[in-house]
Amino acid sequence: DAGITQSPRYKITETGRQVTLMCHQTWSHSYMFWYRQDLGHGLRLIYYSAAADITDKGEVPDGYVVSRSKTENFPLTLESATRSQTSVYFCASSELDYGYTFGSGTRLTVV
Amino acid sequence: QKEVEQNSGPLSVPEGAIASLNCTYSDRGSQSFFWYRQYSGKSPELIMFIYSNGDKEDGRFTAQLNKASQYVSLLIRDSQPSDSATYLCAVNTGGGNKLTFGTGTQLKVEL
């Protein structure tokens, strides 16, 4: 299916565990982004990528790692999950400056 | 000071009325502005973008931009109950296609 797909939709993990959130897009968009959404903070940028093998930090990158070996995939890894990383995570992609298309989100709970 | 400010609401309007949603931003160098709609539990979806001062209309939606006042607004004419959602203002503040989001305004359209 065309579009942007995130997996899993829901995840519960324990403090200290490593967890990877997946993001896949079929449009070959150059730009991909990871945001987290929390009450009172809105959407905050974690990491972004302008192309394969090019990534950069956003507003709240601590505790997260990204990679982008292929244009279509942009996984986000929490190296050692903490309760403060409980959030809804959105992946997005875009081409040029025409706005983002978001994935359906991953609701992550760290217990 | 947050870079993109929105009144959190809720903004309540009767069905058929005009809803006016406002957003201010702090970076005078910002060049592109976006409005997203987000239903509860769903991902944001792009409804409008505007680059130039003035008005841009798309169906029942009108985006208005005033760069001198650092102000962008969204008007929704003939509001419908299906318009009830949170509206997010986003601004390209740092280049590189990165968007900074406001925390959103909740709109309630009442029968």
Side-chain angles (χ1 to χ4, degrees), chain A residues 26-38:
Chain A
T26 60
W27 295 300
S28 298
H29 283 168
S30 298
Y31 291 90
M32 295 188 74
F33 307 85
W34 276 105
Y35 283 82
R36 59 179 290 175
Q37 188 172 37
D38 305 286

PDB file of all heavy atoms in Angstrom, chain A residues 26-38:
ATOM      1  N   THR A  26       6.460   4.940   1.070  1.00  0.00           N
ATOM      2  CA  THR A  26       6.545   4.398  -0.284  1.00  0.00           C
ATOM      3  C   THR A  26       6.670   5.476  -1.352  1.00  0.00           C
ATOM      4  O   THR A  26       6.703   5.165  -2.540  1.00  0.00           O
ATOM      5  CB  THR A  26       5.302   3.540  -0.596  1.00  0.00           C
ATOM      6  OG1 THR A  26       4.132   4.363  -0.481  1.00  0.00           O
ATOM      7  CG2 THR A  26       5.201   2.362   0.345  1.00  0.00           C
ATOM      8  N   TRP A  27       6.719   6.755  -0.948  1.00  0.00           N
ATOM      9  CA  TRP A  27       6.762   7.825  -1.937  1.00  0.00           C
ATOM     10  C   TRP A  27       8.169   8.219  -2.387  1.00  0.00           C
ATOM     11  O   TRP A  27       8.312   9.067  -3.260  1.00  0.00           O
ATOM     12  CB  TRP A  27       6.091   9.087  -1.363  1.00  0.00           C
ATOM     13  CG  TRP A  27       4.647   8.945  -1.084  1.00  0.00           C
ATOM     14  CD1 TRP A  27       3.669   8.647  -1.993  1.00  0.00           C
ATOM     15  CD2 TRP A  27       3.994   9.124   0.170  1.00  0.00           C
ATOM     16  NE1 TRP A  27       2.440   8.635  -1.367  1.00  0.00           N
ATOM     17  CE2 TRP A  27       2.612   8.922  -0.043  1.00  0.00           C
ATOM     18  CE3 TRP A  27       4.436   9.448   1.449  1.00  0.00           C
ATOM     19  CZ2 TRP A  27       1.677   9.019   0.986  1.00  0.00           C
ATOM     20  CZ3 TRP A  27       3.507   9.544   2.469  1.00  0.00           C
ATOM     21  CH2 TRP A  27       2.152   9.326   2.235  1.00  0.00           C
ATOM     22  N   SER A  28       9.181   7.702  -1.718  1.00  0.00           N
ATOM     23  CA  SER A  28      10.558   8.138  -1.967  1.00  0.00           C
ATOM     24  C   SER A  28      10.772   9.611  -1.603  1.00  0.00           C
ATOM     25  O   SER A  28      11.579  10.308  -2.233  1.00  0.00           O
ATOM     26  CB  SER A  28      10.961   7.915  -3.442  1.00  0.00           C
ATOM     27  OG  SER A  28      10.908   6.555  -3.765  1.00  0.00           O
ATOM     28  N   HIS A  29      10.027  10.085  -0.604  1.00  0.00           N
ATOM     29  CA  HIS A  29      10.246  11.436  -0.106  1.00  0.00           C
ATOM     30  C   HIS A  29      11.654  11.545   0.470  1.00  0.00           C
ATOM     31  O   HIS A  29      12.146  10.637   1.136  1.00  0.00           O
ATOM     32  CB  HIS A  29       9.241  11.781   0.986  1.00  0.00           C
ATOM     33  CG  HIS A  29       7.890  12.110   0.465  1.00  0.00           C
ATOM     34  ND1 HIS A  29       6.784  12.207   1.295  1.00  0.00           N
ATOM     35  CD2 HIS A  29       7.442  12.380  -0.784  1.00  0.00           C
ATOM     36  CE1 HIS A  29       5.738  12.528   0.575  1.00  0.00           C
ATOM     37  NE2 HIS A  29       6.103  12.627  -0.695  1.00  0.00           N
ATOM     38  N   SER A  30      12.270  12.704   0.247  1.00  0.00           N
ATOM     39  CA  SER A  30      13.626  12.901   0.766  1.00  0.00           C
ATOM     40  C   SER A  30      13.639  13.045   2.287  1.00  0.00           C
ATOM     41  O   SER A  30      14.495  12.505   2.965  1.00  0.00           O
ATOM     42  CB  SER A  30      14.235  14.159   0.144  1.00  0.00           C
ATOM     43  OG  SER A  30      14.351  14.031  -1.253  1.00  0.00           O
ATOM     44  N   TYR A  31      12.679  13.803   2.797  1.00  0.00           N
ATOM     45  CA  TYR A  31      12.697  14.139   4.212  1.00  0.00           C
ATOM     46  C   TYR A  31      11.836  13.182   5.023  1.00  0.00           C
ATOM     47  O   TYR A  31      10.721  12.841   4.632  1.00  0.00           O
ATOM     48  CB  TYR A  31      12.177  15.561   4.432  1.00  0.00           C
ATOM     49  CG  TYR A  31      13.084  16.649   3.921  1.00  0.00           C
ATOM     50  CD1 TYR A  31      12.953  17.129   2.618  1.00  0.00           C
ATOM     51  CD2 TYR A  31      14.058  17.194   4.736  1.00  0.00           C
ATOM     52  CE1 TYR A  31      13.785  18.132   2.145  1.00  0.00           C
ATOM     53  CE2 TYR A  31      14.897  18.198   4.274  1.00  0.00           C
ATOM     54  CZ  TYR A  31      14.748  18.662   2.981  1.00  0.00           C
ATOM     55  OH  TYR A  31      15.568  19.656   2.522  1.00  0.00           O
ATOM     56  N   MET A  32      12.373  12.804   6.179  1.00  0.00           N
ATOM     57  CA  MET A  32      11.597  12.038   7.140  1.00  0.00           C
ATOM     58  C   MET A  32      11.861  12.585   8.532  1.00  0.00           C
ATOM     59  O   MET A  32      12.938  13.128   8.808  1.00  0.00           O
ATOM     60  CB  MET A  32      11.920  10.546   7.062  1.00  0.00           C
ATOM     61  CG  MET A  32      11.522   9.926   5.723  1.00  0.00           C
ATOM     62  SD  MET A  32      11.666   8.143   5.676  1.00  0.00           S
ATOM     63  CE  MET A  32      10.245   7.634   6.659  1.00  0.00           C
ATOM     64  N   PHE A  33      10.856  12.435   9.385  1.00  0.00           N
ATOM     65  CA  PHE A  33      10.890  13.072  10.709  1.00  0.00           C
ATOM     66  C   PHE A  33      10.313  12.129  11.757  1.00  0.00           C
ATOM     67  O   PHE A  33       9.426  11.339  11.460  1.00  0.00           O
ATOM     68  CB  PHE A  33      10.040  14.354  10.707  1.00  0.00           C
ATOM     69  CG  PHE A  33      10.382  15.324   9.608  1.00  0.00           C
ATOM     70  CD1 PHE A  33       9.811  15.176   8.346  1.00  0.00           C
ATOM     71  CD2 PHE A  33      11.260  16.358   9.820  1.00  0.00           C
ATOM     72  CE1 PHE A  33      10.118  16.056   7.316  1.00  0.00           C
ATOM     73  CE2 PHE A  33      11.578  17.245   8.799  1.00  0.00           C
ATOM     74  CZ  PHE A  33      11.002  17.093   7.549  1.00  0.00           C
ATOM     75  N   TRP A  34      10.785  12.301  12.975  1.00  0.00           N
ATOM     76  CA  TRP A  34      10.170  11.677  14.135  1.00  0.00           C
ATOM     77  C   TRP A  34       9.781  12.766  15.127  1.00  0.00           C
ATOM     78  O   TRP A  34      10.602  13.602  15.509  1.00  0.00           O
ATOM     79  CB  TRP A  34      11.111  10.698  14.834  1.00  0.00           C
ATOM     80  CG  TRP A  34      11.119   9.342  14.229  1.00  0.00           C
ATOM     81  CD1 TRP A  34      12.082   8.787  13.447  1.00  0.00           C
ATOM     82  CD2 TRP A  34      10.109   8.339  14.384  1.00  0.00           C
ATOM     83  NE1 TRP A  34      11.734   7.505  13.092  1.00  0.00           N
ATOM     84  CE2 TRP A  34      10.523   7.213  13.655  1.00  0.00           C
ATOM     85  CE3 TRP A  34       8.886   8.287  15.071  1.00  0.00           C
ATOM     86  CZ2 TRP A  34       9.772   6.035  13.584  1.00  0.00           C
ATOM     87  CZ3 TRP A  34       8.135   7.138  14.994  1.00  0.00           C
ATOM     88  CH2 TRP A  34       8.578   6.022  14.267  1.00  0.00           C
ATOM     89  N   TYR A  35       8.506  12.740  15.525  1.00  0.00           N
ATOM     90  CA  TYR A  35       7.982  13.639  16.547  1.00  0.00           C
ATOM     91  C   TYR A  35       7.393  12.809  17.676  1.00  0.00           C
ATOM     92  O   TYR A  35       6.926  11.703  17.467  1.00  0.00           O
ATOM     93  CB  TYR A  35       6.864  14.519  15.983  1.00  0.00           C
ATOM     94  CG  TYR A  35       7.323  15.679  15.117  1.00  0.00           C
ATOM     95  CD1 TYR A  35       7.629  15.480  13.781  1.00  0.00           C
ATOM     96  CD2 TYR A  35       7.415  16.957  15.636  1.00  0.00           C
ATOM     97  CE1 TYR A  35       8.039  16.545  12.985  1.00  0.00           C
ATOM     98  CE2 TYR A  35       7.826  18.031  14.846  1.00  0.00           C
ATOM     99  CZ  TYR A  35       8.135  17.814  13.524  1.00  0.00           C
ATOM    100  OH  TYR A  35       8.536  18.867  12.737  1.00  0.00           O
ATOM    101  N   ARG A  36       7.380  13.404  18.844  1.00  0.00           N
ATOM    102  CA  ARG A  36       6.604  12.853  19.943  1.00  0.00           C
ATOM    103  C   ARG A  36       5.543  13.877  20.319  1.00  0.00           C
ATOM    104  O   ARG A  36       5.749  15.090  20.191  1.00  0.00           O
ATOM    105  CB  ARG A  36       7.469  12.489  21.146  1.00  0.00           C
ATOM    106  CG  ARG A  36       8.256  13.608  21.760  1.00  0.00           C
ATOM    107  CD  ARG A  36       9.059  13.122  22.981  1.00  0.00           C
ATOM    108  NE  ARG A  36       8.169  12.809  24.108  1.00  0.00           N
ATOM    109  CZ  ARG A  36       8.602  12.278  25.258  1.00  0.00           C
ATOM    110  NH1 ARG A  36       9.890  11.988  25.416  1.00  0.00           N
ATOM    111  NH2 ARG A  36       7.753  12.028  26.227  1.00  0.00           N
ATOM    112  N   GLN A  37       4.401  13.361  20.762  1.00  0.00           N
ATOM    113  CA  GLN A  37       3.294  14.239  21.127  1.00  0.00           C
ATOM    114  C   GLN A  37       2.866  13.948  22.553  1.00  0.00           C
ATOM    115  O   GLN A  37       2.487  12.824  22.872  1.00  0.00           O
ATOM    116  CB  GLN A  37       2.106  14.072  20.178  1.00  0.00           C
ATOM    117  CG  GLN A  37       1.011  15.112  20.411  1.00  0.00           C
ATOM    118  CD  GLN A  37      -0.066  15.058  19.346  1.00  0.00           C
ATOM    119  OE1 GLN A  37      -0.447  13.996  18.870  1.00  0.00           O
ATOM    120  NE2 GLN A  37      -0.579  16.226  18.949  1.00  0.00           N
ATOM    121  N   ASP A  38       2.933  14.970  23.382  1.00  0.00           N
ATOM    122  CA  ASP A  38       2.576  14.868  24.781  1.00  0.00           C
ATOM    123  C   ASP A  38       1.638  16.000  25.148  1.00  0.00           C
ATOM    124  O   ASP A  38       1.775  17.117  24.648  1.00  0.00           O
ATOM    125  CB  ASP A  38       3.835  14.964  25.655  1.00  0.00           C
ATOM    126  CG  ASP A  38       4.892  13.944  25.273  1.00  0.00           C
ATOM    127  OD1 ASP A  38       4.688  12.771  25.589  1.00  0.00           O
ATOM    128  OD2 ASP A  38       5.903  14.326  24.647  1.00  0.00           O
TER     129      ASP A  38
END
